[in-house]
Amino acid sequence: GWGVVMDPAELPRIVAKWTAAVAAGEPWEDTFTLRRHDGEFRWHLSRAVPLRDDAGNVVRYFGTNTDITELRRME
């Protein structure tokens, strides 16, 4: 479902990077735009880390999306 808020041109790259991280059980990080409720695209830093059970198996990921639009404008 989250693909609907992403730039369609960037979606294949982002999905490929996410899929590789999940397959390897590694943390994931990327920067890209997400569409806000009013239709404006804003830059986000997205991160996710794997959470593991006692046996070391990844059971889920915990992630965040941080709006960094103003930071990018200042750069």
Side-chain angles (χ1 to χ4, degrees), residues 25-69:
E26 297 177 345
W28 171 79
E29 181 176 306
D30 207 344
T31 303
F32 47 82
T33 58
L34 293 173
R35 186 182 357 261
R36 199 165 64 173
H37 64 89
D38 62 1
E40 178 186 354
F41 277 99
R42 295 183 59 88
W43 283 98
H44 285 77
L45 169 62
S46 295
R47 293 179 171 151
V49 294
L51 301 177
R52 300 178 184 276
D53 62 15
D54 292 339
N57 301 308
V58 176
V59 292
R60 67 179 59 97
Y61 272 78
F62 176 79
T64 61
N65 286 312
T66 304
D67 187 328
I68 60 167
T69 304

